[in-house]
Amino acid sequence: ETGVTQTPRHLVMGMTNKKSLKCEQHLGHNAMYWYKQSAKKPLELMFVYNFKEQTENNSVPSRFSPECPNSSHLFLHLHTLQPEDSALYLCASSQDGDPSGANVLTFGAGSRLTVL
Amino acid sequence: GQNIDQPTEMTATEGAIVQINCTYQTSGFNGLFWYQQHAGEAPTFLSYNVLDGLEEKGRFSSFLSRSKGYSYLLLKELQMKDSASYLCAVEDSNYQLIWGAGTKLIIKP
């Protein structure tokens, strides 16, 4: 497989459940990201990992817990979520040092989360 | 605060030309990106502008004016497959990406 793969594609959970989203990139990139995408709103950056180290945590509630065991895998652990957390969660990766200077993101297709 | 503005929705006809505008107010500027996102799919990179002017890539072109805080994405010879959302994003002086809410483009036969 190539690119960025996210599983599951769809998830329905109750507010008391614990679930995890998984992201895997096969591009050899050194940075990975979690974004939240809600309808008609800008993408919200949640977490950034560079070389497995978390470099960004944009005031995300503790009910979202990221894990990056290696530079190819990224998880988002979910527990006691709220209905307003229902959204599309996008994973992305990028590689520093593009000659153009552009930090181009390669996104996965997302995990559509519904919290009941 | 930092802000990216783009129209919520646009409609165009197959074979025509459409221009999607993006205006921005950010803390510094290190480049502007356009991404395309089909419904239910991943956003994919279209273009990057860091200097003023027009960058052409096939049927798609992207323009930047840094002094005006303005960019547009120009799509020519529209095809039905161009129906998608188009996301504008600016990299600020801290290399943080500031995103617009996206423009949903509907192509009619």
Side-chain angles (χ1 to χ4, degrees), chain A residues 9 35 37 42 102 104-105 107-108, chain B residues 35 37 40 42-43 45 48 99-100:
Chain A
R9 291 294 310 275
Y35 276 94
Q37 187 175 38
V104 175
L105 299 177
F107 285 90
Chain B
Y35 284 80
Q37 185 178 22
F45 170 73
Y48 171 70
W99 293 85

Side-chain angles (χ1 to χ4, degrees), chain A residues 95-104, chain B residues 48:
Chain A
Q95 178 66 36
D96 290 339
D98 186 284
S100 72
N103 186 30
V104 175
Chain B
Y48 171 70

Side-chain angles (χ1 to χ4, degrees), chain A residues 86-103:
Chain A
S86 298
L88 182 67
Y89 289 84
L90 290 167
C91 175
S93 68
S94 69
Q95 178 66 36
D96 290 339
D98 186 284
S100 72
N103 186 30

